[in-house]
Amino acid sequence: MKKLHFSLVGLLVFCSFTVSAQHSGSTKMDNFVNALMKKMTVDEKIGQLNLVTPGGAVTGSVVSKDVDTKIRNGQVGGLFGITGPDKIHRAQEIAVNNSRLHIPLIFGLDVIHGHRTIFPIPLGLSASWDTSLIRKSARIAANEATADALNWVFSPMVDIARDPRWGRVSEGSGEDPFLGSEIAKAMVEGYQGNDLAKNTTVMACVKHYALYGAAEAGREYNTVDMSKVKMYNEYLAPYKAAVDAGVGSVMSSFNTVNGVPATANKFLMTDVLRKQWGFKGLVVTDYTAVNELVNHGIGDLQTVSAKALNAGIDMDMVGEGFLTTLKKSLQQGKVTQKGIDDACRRVLEAKYKLGLFDDPYRYCNNEREKTELMSDANLKAAREIAARSFVLLKNNNQVLPLKKSGTIALIGPLADNKRNMLGTWSVSGDPEKSVTIIQGIKNVVGNDVNILYAKGANISDDTALIKRVNVFGTEIDVDQKSPEEMISDAVATANKADVVVAVLGEAADMTGESSSMSEIGLQPSQENLLRALVKTGKPVVLVLMNGRPMTLTWEDEHVTAILDIWFGGTEVGNAVADVLFGNYNPSGKITASFPRNVGQIPVYYNHLNTGRPYVPGEGTKFKSDYLDVPNTPLYPFGYGLSYTSFSYSDITLNSKTLKPGGKITASVNVTNTGTRSGKETVQLYTRQMIGSISRPVKELKGFQQITLEPGETRKVTFPISVDDLKFYNSDLKYVYEPGAFKVFIGTSSADVKEADFNLVR
Ligand code: NOJ
């Protein structure tokens, strides 16, 4: 632990905080914050609303300037983008020793899927469908973040995304509100634990509120226009789940919602968030989102800053609209003293809950930094969690798992590539410490298997795209050999092997923020390679690295097996080898549908019926369908194979009548019909057949994971109560409606058994 260095005056004032802030509890906190706020000038209060970055986490065109001076002047409430006990201690000292009221700073960062030890990207994590594992990943991330002196993380990102063109689909949990809500809750619990003041817990920040994932055409930062019924039933649920789980902060999104930018949207920030959901924590904007309201066309900087505060925003990230204009707006009556006080209070309360008034350096601990970052235990967890995120999309002739003998041709620009293993938003991860696929395979079977390698292609040959993707460093490097030479080397290598493992896909920053794509298939360079490999007649296993659902129609038809490994994080290579060679049986299931082509987007399982529903395979005129492609996705929500197989019995209902206050149960027997032990995620869906408004054809309502030995059968039972069947009607009332329902249980949203029951009054 670092020694405390207070100036004398700082120490005196600070001691008085320490006495009153020792124990948390709302009355104590209120008294403490009230007393502090009495001492504060308007400028100091506005200063608390200013969140700056000294340049370490730039996600916009503006960087904060004169940070030290501003801290001294009491013009900064928090800092993000720096890490490490020494640096953070130094910055905290400026605030605690040199600002008039010695108010400590809060320190945040984008800790998204791990901090130094990187886990799979969130879309991959969600494919594990294992909320305790996801909670564990957040817990480890919090441990590491706090060992690096942070106390605030800008996660979880819970935006429902049904458009894989949008690069940030990688950062969330896919298309489903129920699963998204379960994961949101798990992450908040993992980060925050049960006591924010512990030096191993961090304040979480659920983002991006709201509906950021519904950007038109999947184009980054684009407009969102959505009915309130859809909003309440499908998109708001995961944010609410995070709030219900006690998340300490919320980040506003960049997009407009029904014409009003979220960051100035009183309906979202106050009516829904605070009044309907009872959120008491801190609301921060996204990066320069206040300033961007000017571009949204709702006023000049002073006007938009006032609008954001009045809407319910507390803290302004980087843009300093609040810092530079709120006082003037107060004098002109455009904001109220209460508005500023409320916002300031929430910032101070966050600091209080984090225990910063008791000890501003409580997160600065050099010992922990040394022992906890990337510890063996964390790396071990990362390996297991990565393996759990992988999804087996295809496995013809049981080509996987591979034999631990013979010769494999390991081909592809991502096979021996440290730079891209961690995926987007791994700001504190060190790519150099990641285990590549080739290294992992050597680690696991290097003594038994002859491994031949060829790069085969560049990730892309498109120079304009390469330039855009490489802004943070060379993720796509262009080989000195021509594409033709690379392919012919790869083919020659493949011809010498028993099986080809092609590691292809996206570069890390082809998804994530500002990474929308209009085509979401493999880059032509890699497609040409894959076609050439398939032509050799060798079995081809495609190991796909991707941050979004991709269009894989050709691949699905032609390669022998596809293992989707997302961006698996620090230990990805070891985890891939564990799965390829059968030390681990894959069990992931996709959480966002994979379209057959871009024209199908958005394609998601929980859609409404139409008046002229499509009948698979029928192809008659006047139905809601396409002439050239089926309505169904290539791989549906909830889909994923295993090295073993499972069969489902019909559903047994203990009653066909559900009464308010009561519950019924739906059960199936699941049997492992294959030859290996395997994990299955059994999924429960319902459909309300008749309602006051049109209701989705299926909605996920539960899931359970079971591990079965070969030949073993297990009964899986789901309770169903009226609460599970509630929804928001056209008056936005959360109701249930009596009538006929269907219940479905199965292995994916598209492969289920079904039964009927009635909900009666
Ligand atoms: C912009 C991103 O939208 C957000 O997710 C992130 O937390 C902030 N920048 C801070 O880096």
Side-chain angles (χ1 to χ4, degrees):
M1 173 83 178
K2 270 245 146 196
K3 280 239 161 60
L4 307 185
H5 299 292
F6 297 117
S7 68
L8 186 57
V9 61
L11 188 58
L12 290 176
V13 176
F14 199 74
C15 285
S16 74
F17 287 161
T18 311
V19 174
S20 52
Q22 258 166 11
H23 308 283
S24 55
S26 63
T27 324
K28 282 211 163 83
M29 179 169 79
D30 287 351
N31 293 343
F32 176 81
V33 172
N34 286 340
L36 176 55
M37 283 182 59
K38 271 199 192 129
K39 297 183 205 149
M40 294 174 79
T41 63
V42 172
D43 287 319
E44 282 165 335
K45 288 175 180 169
I46 293 172
Q48 287 301 307
L49 316 186
N50 194 26
L51 176 64
V52 300
T53 177
V58 182
T59 55
S61 52
V62 181
V63 189
S64 311
K65 294 204 185 78
D66 306 324
V67 171
D68 287 11
T69 313
K70 283 181 184 144
I71 299 175
R72 259 183 222 108
N73 294 345
Q75 292 176 309
V76 176
L79 215 67
F80 74 106
I82 63 167
T83 55
D86 293 338
K87 278 194 196 150
I88 287 183
H89 198 284
R90 224 171 290 132
Q92 190 71 297
E93 272 175 356
I94 305 177
V96 169
N97 293 351
N98 301 330
S99 71
R100 189 182 77 94
L101 288 173
H102 319 284
I103 299 173
L105 301 168
I106 185 173
F107 291 93
L109 194 74
D110 287 289
V111 173
I112 309 295
H113 47 111
H115 178 55
R116 302 274 179 199
T117 304
I118 301 296
F119 300 108
I121 54 165
L123 187 63
L125 279 175
S126 72
S128 73
W129 290 61
D130 186 335
T131 50
S132 47
L133 201 75
I134 293 170
R135 190 181 297 105
K136 180 174 170 183
S137 78
R139 182 87 295 284
I140 293 172
N143 261 320
E144 288 200 352
T146 51
D148 224 0
L150 299 163
N151 43 47
W152 188 19
V153 297
F154 302 144
S155 172
M157 188 285 217
V158 304
D159 306 322
I160 297 285
R162 294 170 173 176
D163 191 330
R165 291 172 296 183
W166 190 51
R168 302 196 83 169
V169 68
S170 55
E171 290 177 56
S173 297
E175 72 192 34
D176 184 65
F178 180 85
L179 180 61
S181 299
E182 294 292 306
I183 292 175
K185 177 171 178 270
M187 294 204 68
V188 170
E189 290 168 354
Y191 287 132
Q192 298 196 162
N194 50 18
D195 180 4
L196 271 188
K198 279 194 183 149
N199 71 350
T200 52
T201 56
V202 287
M203 179 167 73
C205 184
V206 65
K207 69 189 189 185
H208 306 81
Y209 184 68
L211 322 184
Y212 186 24
E216 277 179 5
R219 177 157 58 73
E220 184 63 305
Y221 313 127
N222 206 5
T223 306
V224 174
D225 210 303
M226 187 186 288
S227 76
K228 286 200 176 156
V229 162
K230 192 175 180 84
M231 189 187 294
Y232 272 73
N233 281 315
E234 298 170 38
Y235 279 76
L236 291 182
Y239 309 104
K240 180 171 187 301
V243 168
D244 290 344
V247 73
S249 63
V250 172
M251 186 184 293
S252 75
S253 59
F254 287 125
N255 52 287
T256 56
V257 172
N258 299 346
V260 184
T263 300
N265 196 316
K266 186 160 176 298
F267 163 74
L268 288 176
M269 298 301 156
T270 299
D271 299 348
V272 176
L273 183 64
R274 297 212 186 269
K275 292 192 181 150
Q276 291 174 19
W277 298 351
F279 179 65
K280 301 260 183 307
L282 166 69
V283 179
V284 62
T285 69
D286 203 339
Y287 204 98
T288 59
V290 171
N291 311 55
E292 291 167 26
L293 297 173
V294 175
N295 283 343
H296 280 294
I298 60 164
D300 58 17
L301 186 61
Q302 183 189 347
T303 308
V304 299
S305 301
K307 282 191 180 184
L309 185 86
N310 291 337
I313 299 288
D314 302 318
M315 217 174 189
D316 174 5
M317 188 191 284
V318 176
E320 303 199 337
F322 279 11
L323 189 75
T324 55
T325 69
L326 280 189
K327 193 169 178 190
K328 190 164 164 208
S329 291
L330 179 65
Q331 286 154 357
Q332 295 174 348
K334 292 183 175 150
V335 300
T336 60
Q337 184 64 53
K338 180 171 180 323
I340 293 174
D341 283 356
D342 285 350
C344 175
R345 174 179 301 280
R346 289 178 196 128
V347 175
L348 297 174
E349 285 180 355
K351 294 179 179 183
Y352 184 97
K353 289 179 196 151
L354 287 165
L356 290 168
F357 288 112
D358 277 344
D359 176 2
Y361 306 106
R362 70 188 314 140
Y363 301 90
C364 297
N365 181 326
N366 292 96
E367 257 329 289
R368 287 194 61 213
E369 184 194 23
K370 274 185 220 128
T371 53
E372 292 186 28
L373 300 181
M374 300 193 81
S375 67
D376 289 349
N378 294 358
L379 293 174
K380 185 163 174 258
R383 180 170 180 164
E384 189 207 338
I385 293 172
R388 294 288 303 281
S389 75
F390 300 162
V391 183
L392 184 63
L393 294 172
K394 179 178 181 185
N395 194 17
N396 255 18
N397 313 324
Q398 298 284 314
V399 66
L400 291 178
L402 298 175
K403 290 195 200 74
K404 293 179 182 168
S405 60
T407 301
I408 67 165
L410 187 61
I411 312 275
L414 291 161
D416 185 12
N417 183 324
K418 280 185 184 283
R419 186 67 176 86
N420 287 291
M421 295 302 100
L422 304 183
T424 183
W425 281 119
S426 43
V427 292
S428 305
D430 179 355
E432 280 309 308
K433 296 199 173 130
S434 58
V435 181
T436 60
I437 311 303
I438 192 165
Q439 188 57 52
I441 291 178
K442 283 182 187 158
N443 293 346
V444 172
V445 292
N447 295 333
D448 309 316
V449 174
N450 183 23
I451 304 157
L452 308 176
Y453 165 76
K455 181 172 170 188
N458 298 315
I459 293 175
S460 175
D461 289 333
D462 176 340
T463 44
L465 179 75
I466 294 172
K467 196 165 163 224
R468 297 275 326 256
V469 172
N470 283 354
V471 279
F472 295 130
T474 307
E475 290 185 1
I476 306 182
D477 59 336
V478 178
D479 207 272
Q480 301 204 318
K481 286 188 187 158
S482 70
E484 295 72 29
E485 274 176 280
M486 276 195 277
I487 290 183
S488 92
D489 283 358
V491 167
T493 310
N495 280 329
K496 288 183 213 142
D498 304 312
V499 59
V500 176
V501 174
V503 189
L504 308 180
E506 301 184 296
D509 279 297
M510 284 168 72
T511 53
E513 188 174 352
S514 186
S515 299
S516 294
M517 296 277 286
S518 71
E519 295 290 350
I520 55 171
L522 283 175
Q523 286 291 302
S525 58
Q526 299 187 66
E527 215 176 279
N528 293 340
L529 168 64
L530 192 60
R531 283 173 194 263
L533 294 173
V534 167
K535 256 202 197 146
T536 63
K538 301 280 178 181
V540 175
V541 175
L542 170 59
V543 172
L544 185 72
M545 219 173 273
N546 53 332
R548 56 162 55 86
M550 295 179 76
T551 47
L552 301 171
T553 309
W554 186 90
E555 291 77 359
D556 182 69
E557 260 175 45
H558 293 95
V559 303
T560 323
I562 307 178
L563 180 69
D564 193 329
I565 62 164
W566 316 108
F567 289 94
T570 310
E571 282 289 311
V572 63
N574 288 328
V576 166
D578 289 341
V579 171
L580 284 180
F581 293 94
N583 294 352
Y584 190 87
N585 185 352
S587 57
K589 307 229 183 203
I590 56 172
T591 59
S593 306
F594 278 44
R596 294 172 192 272
N597 63 20
V598 170
Q600 276 191 319
I601 297 171
V603 57
Y604 51 95
Y605 85 94
N606 41 0
H607 57 84
L608 303 184
N609 214 8
T610 67
R612 296 182 175 189
Y614 150 88
V615 181
E618 209 172 74
T620 50
K621 198 74 183 153
F622 309 119
K623 298 284 187 200
S624 174
D625 63 0
Y626 301 99
L627 291 178
D628 59 344
V629 69
N631 281 14
T632 52
L634 181 64
Y635 304 123
F637 175 83
Y639 169 81
L641 304 172
S642 162
Y643 293 158
T644 192
S645 50
F646 299 100
S647 77
Y648 281 65
S649 72
D650 286 337
I651 298 174
T652 311
L653 290 172
N654 74 337
S655 165
K656 284 195 158 275
T657 308
L658 174 61
K659 300 192 185 106
K663 78 170 195 264
I664 59 170
T665 60
S667 313
V668 285
N669 287 319
V670 183
T671 305
N672 181 341
T673 49
T675 53
R676 289 169 167 267
S677 168
K679 192 184 290 294
E680 168 73 332
T681 302
V682 183
Q683 301 159 38
L684 171 82
Y685 299 86
T686 60
R687 175 173 181 185
Q688 181 179 350
M689 299 307 291
I690 297 167
S692 59
I693 57 173
S694 212
R695 304 282 293 119
V697 296
K698 256 178 212 142
E699 291 177 281
L700 183 73
K701 297 292 179 181
F703 54 91
Q704 288 180 39
Q705 294 196 316
I706 50 171
T707 302
L708 296 179
E709 297 307 317
E712 188 184 349
T713 296
R714 181 99 43 90
K715 183 173 176 184
V716 178
T717 299
F718 291 97
I720 303 172
S721 76
V722 170
D723 280 347
D724 298 320
L725 306 175
K726 285 184 171 170
F727 69 103
Y728 291 93
N729 67 13
S730 53
D731 298 325
L732 301 181
K733 297 250 158 46
Y734 196 52
V735 298
Y736 67 89
E737 292 176 343
F741 281 80
K742 277 195 187 300
V743 53
F744 311 90
I745 302 180
T747 186
S748 83
S749 63
D751 185 359
V752 289
K753 302 285 182 181
E754 68 176 73
D756 300 281
F757 69 92
N758 271 300
L759 170 57
V760 297
R761 266 199 206 287

